[in-house]
Every structure is written in C-alpha cells, then in structure tokens.
Amino acid sequence: MTGITPEAFVLGLSGLGAGLAMICGIGTGIGQGYAAGRAVEGVARQPEAQSDILKIMLVGQGVSETPTIFAFVVSIILMFANPLVGLL
C-alpha cells in the first residue's frame, strides 16, 4: 500500500492555498474599476474639482491594492520558500 508523503501533502495544499490567495485579485480589480468609474462621473459633473477627486481616488486605489499585494507575497512564499516543509 503506497501513501502520499507528508512533504507532498504539504506542498499540494500549499499550492492550493496560493491559488486561493490570488482570488483576492478579482475583488480588487472590480473595486478599483468601480472607483475609477465613479471618479470619472464625478469629474464629468464637476470639472473644477478634478484635482481633489483624483487625489482621493489615487489614495483609495493604493489602499485597496494592499491586500492583493499581501496575497501575492504569501502565494510566492508558499510556492517557492515554503516554511511548512521544514516543520515535518
């Protein structure tokens, strides 16, 4: 009877976790697109407020991008520098 090795199990689940972490990018893309669309609508209504709207939108874009960057870093660590394998 052959079984799966603990290293293979941890690596397989790490790959699955890395893939699930990258799902975060879907929500970020939708949210940033919505924010940019609303900013364009705001500038169309009040062109004189363009600089204020642009500043607020860019800060919001940066804040909403942060979780995706963290998820990407976690995915890279799980795939290439997995600390869990050393615990076996």
Side-chain angles (χ1 to χ4, degrees):
M1 176 176 210
T2 61
I4 188 167
T5 64
E7 291 86 6
F9 184 71
V10 167
L11 289 175
L13 288 181
S14 294
L16 182 64
L20 288 175
M22 290 316 297
I23 291 177
C24 178
I26 295 172
T28 301
I30 292 170
Q32 287 182 343
Y34 181 75
R38 298 295 288 188
V40 168
E41 289 176 10
V43 170
R45 281 195 305 269
Q46 294 180 331
E48 66 276 358
Q50 177 184 3
S51 64
D52 293 335
I53 293 170
L54 181 65
K55 284 186 236 177
I56 292 171
M57 183 195 73
L58 288 178
V59 169
Q61 297 282 353
V63 170
S64 68
E65 187 70 28
T66 304
T68 302
I69 293 170
F70 288 144
F72 179 68
V73 169
V74 167
S75 297
I76 293 297
I77 289 171
L78 284 175
M79 293 302 294
F80 299 111
N82 197 333
L84 302 174
V85 174
L87 297 176
L88 296 176

